């Protein structure tokens, strides 16, 4: 009888504890109650409720779509494909898209390169669009920043930059003029002024192919290489000011807005996050089953990462919570995925020859 009374009292206590978590608190922190787990005090453990992703636009090319990039201020996406074509697409809310959800380009450049478009990058203010290819060239397109791109009547010819001896796989703007690039060939990251494309300002040397370059600040770049190292460079002195070795070669790398958190995604599916102030790896986990070709922090935050992998999965990773959530699944490889500047949208490219535009139904 005493044992039954004790169990009854415990159940009542649990119910009281559960009722003490108000509905407003759940809404504020986007939490739901876990039915499986309780704390030592039998209080239900809050569980994170992942965002819902809705497909709102799609475009299919004749060949693999390799690269995608959001304009920093306008609702425009640049798309590059193995078909040598460059497309510019406008996007808006779900209700303003076509009923068939087609993402139609308002500007198409056929045979923009002589090879596949491996990467695209807008300058910070959107005045320059850079593209790179396995034809060993970079092309930069000067564009107006005070006019919607859909209203441009005459498009300028791109300027060609030839500073590499192999496939150019990565691009990163430090500002509106200075462009960093890297790839195969001589394993160097080159820094050029897009207004003086024949002059190489500096070369930064890895011991393997350059897989990614990313802007930490106006004076710093973070790079990922097949030599298994991630390095941060001060471009004023051309010196490596920080480096760390990853578990396997990093395919992609990025930093948060402060430049202190560095995230690298690796060939074996592992994601590692480092604090550059003390060189500590505070997160290392095999998030995917295959090569993670794309990783980015959510804009203006350091607690959410977007990853895309050759396993066909796109995930949101929450290192502080120690969890990740699959938000999209493809039958074929994911090559790139990117947040929009306001983080309300996401765009993906795949070997299934599609570029897809997604909208988050709630905040991620």
């Amino acid at each position: 009888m005493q044992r039954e009374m004790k169990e009854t009292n415990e159940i009542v206590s649990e119910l009281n504890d559960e009722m003490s978590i108000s509905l407003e608190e759940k809404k504020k922190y986007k939490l739901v109650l876990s039915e499986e787990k309780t704390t030592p005090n039998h209080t239900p453990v809050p569980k994170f409720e992942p965002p819902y992703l809705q497909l709102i636009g799609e475009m299919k090319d004749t060949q693999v779509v390799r690269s995608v990039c959001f304009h920093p201020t306008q609702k425009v996406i640049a798309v590059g494909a193995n078909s040598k074509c460059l497309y510019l697409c406008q996007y808006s809310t779900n209700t303003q898209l076509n009923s068939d959800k087609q993402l139609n380009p308002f500007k198409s450049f056929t045979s923009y390169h002589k090879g596949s478009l491996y990467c695209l990058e807008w300058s910070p203010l959107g005045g320059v669009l850079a593209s790179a290819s396995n034809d060993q060239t970079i092309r930069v397109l000067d564009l107006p920043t005070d006019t919607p791109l859909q209203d441009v009547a005459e498009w300028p010819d791109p300027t060609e930059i030839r500073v590499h001896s192999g496939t150019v796989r990565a691009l990163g703007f430090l500002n509106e003029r200075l462009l960093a690039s890297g790839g195969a060939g001589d394993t160097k990251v080159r820094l050029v002024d897009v207004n003086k494309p024949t002059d190489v300002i500096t070369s930064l040397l890895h011991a393997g192919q350059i897989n990614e370059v990313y802007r930490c600040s106006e004076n710093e770049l973070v790079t990922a290489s097949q030599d298994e190292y991630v390095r941060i460079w001060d471009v004023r002195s051309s010196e490596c000011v920080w480096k760390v070795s990853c578990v396997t070669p990093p395919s992609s790398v990025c930093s948060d807005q402060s430049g202190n958190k560095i995230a690298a995604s690796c060939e074996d599916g592992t994601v590692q996050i480092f604090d550059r102030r003390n060189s500590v790896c505070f997160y290392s986990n095999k998030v995917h089953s295959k090569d993670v070709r794309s990783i980015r922090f959510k804009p203006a935050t350091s607690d959410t990462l977007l990853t895309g992998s050759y396993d066909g999965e796109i995930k949101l990773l929450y290192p502080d919570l120690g969890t990740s959530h699959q938000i999209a699944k493809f039958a074929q490889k994911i090559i790139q995925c990117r947040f929009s500047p306001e983080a309300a949208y996401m765009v993906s490219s795949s070997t299934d020859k599609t570029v897809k535009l997604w909208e988050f139904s709630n905040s991620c």
Side-chain angles (χ1 to χ4, degrees):
M1 179 66 71
Q2 290 180 346
R3 181 177 179 180
E4 292 177 355
M5 182 65 71
K6 182 179 179 181
E7 290 176 350
T8 301
N9 290 336
E10 288 177 351
I11 292 172
V12 172
S13 177
E14 289 178 19
L15 291 172
N16 289 335
D17 286 339
E18 181 172 336
M19 293 173 63
S20 70
I21 302 177
S22 70
L23 181 60
E24 290 302 315
E25 287 174 324
K26 295 176 192 175
K27 289 180 179 179
K28 181 178 179 181
Y29 298 106
K30 299 185 178 71
L31 299 174
V32 294
L33 294 176
S34 168
E35 297 177 355
E36 295 82 13
K37 298 180 180 180
T38 59
T39 67
N41 294 326
H42 302 287
T43 302
V45 175
K47 184 175 67 175
F48 183 76
E49 183 179 13
Y52 173 72
L53 199 63
Q54 181 180 8
L55 178 66
I56 62 170
E58 179 177 352
M59 184 185 78
K60 188 156 188 174
D61 195 47
T62 58
Q63 295 188 39
V64 170
V65 179
R66 281 193 173 272
S67 50
V68 287
C69 189
F70 281 100
H71 191 284
T73 60
Q74 299 186 32
K75 289 190 177 298
V76 172
I77 304 168
V79 179
N82 278 6
S83 61
K84 308 175 186 177
C85 295
L86 169 66
Y87 305 101
L88 298 180
C89 304
Q90 184 183 15
Y91 69 97
S92 189
T93 62
N94 185 26
T95 55
Q96 293 172 310
L97 286 173
N98 299 331
S99 58
D100 58 0
K101 296 185 178 180
Q102 289 301 302
L103 191 62
N104 297 316
F106 64 85
K107 181 63 179 177
S108 300
F109 299 85
T110 58
S111 300
Y112 191 73
H113 276 269
K114 294 179 182 179
S116 304
L117 276 70
Y118 267 66
C119 55
L120 295 165
E121 191 73 18
W122 294 97
S123 60
L125 300 179
V128 184
L129 174 61
S131 60
S133 170
N134 57 0
D135 65 9
Q136 304 181 12
T137 70
I138 300 165
R139 292 196 165 201
V140 292
L141 191 63
D142 288 316
L143 298 168
T145 57
D146 56 353
T147 303
L149 295 182
Q150 304 90 286
D151 297 337
V152 174
E154 294 185 11
W155 290 80
D157 293 328
T159 300
E160 186 174 277
I161 301 174
R162 190 177 287 272
V163 292
H164 293 278
S165 59
T167 298
V168 188
R169 305 182 65 91
L171 296 168
F173 277 97
L174 287 161
N175 52 43
E176 288 297 299
R177 294 187 306 107
L178 298 181
L179 175 66
S181 59
D186 59 9
T187 72
K188 289 182 180 179
V189 176
R190 295 298 206 297
L191 186 66
V192 298
D193 185 330
V194 295
N195 295 328
K196 302 175 182 178
T198 58
D199 299 334
V200 177
I201 298 172
T202 190
S203 297
L204 314 173
L205 182 62
H206 270 274
Q209 170 182 288
I210 308 301
N211 293 330
E212 181 86 281
V213 298
Y214 189 87
R215 177 187 186 271
C216 282
S217 69
E218 191 168 350
N219 297 312
E220 287 187 328
L221 282 172
V222 59
T223 59
S225 169
Q226 204 66 23
D227 63 11
E228 298 190 0
Y229 275 93
V230 168
R231 297 174 184 264
I232 294 179
W233 307 85
D234 187 324
V235 299
R236 295 167 296 186
S237 62
S238 300
E239 292 183 356
C240 176
V241 296
W242 183 86
K243 69 177 181 178
V244 68
S245 177
C246 296
V247 290
T248 58
S251 297
S252 186
V253 71
C254 64
S255 72
D256 69 347
Q257 194 173 37
S258 71
N260 291 323
K261 288 184 178 181
I262 307 298
S265 58
C266 302
E267 285 186 351
D268 70 343
T270 298
V271 170
Q272 293 185 281
I273 310 175
F274 305 88
D275 189 327
R276 64 174 290 193
R277 292 166 294 187
N278 53 23
S279 295
V280 170
C281 178
F282 63 88
Y283 180 92
S284 183
N285 194 24
K286 195 165 184 179
V287 179
H288 291 271
S289 61
K290 294 183 179 179
D291 191 354
V292 187
R293 298 304 295 266
S294 182
I295 189 167
R296 288 294 184 267
F297 277 101
K298 179 182 175 183
T301 71
S302 60
D303 59 2
T304 306
L305 282 157
L306 178 68
T307 63
S309 169
Y310 272 8
D311 63 12
E313 296 181 350
I314 298 175
K315 292 186 176 184
L316 286 176
L317 173 62
Y318 304 92
D320 294 342
L321 298 177
T323 186
S324 63
H325 296 280
Q326 178 187 304
I327 55 174
K329 174 66 176 177
F330 287 63
Q332 297 189 36
K333 299 174 182 177
I334 298 297
I335 301 179
Q336 285 189 347
C337 51
R338 298 287 187 263
F339 279 116
S340 64
E342 75 281 14
Y345 302 91
M346 186 268 289
V347 66
S348 61
S349 67
S350 170
T351 57
D352 67 4
K353 306 177 185 179
T354 67
V355 54
K356 294 185 177 183
L357 177 66
W358 313 77
E359 184 177 20
F360 291 102
S361 63
N362 54 348
S363 176
C364 59

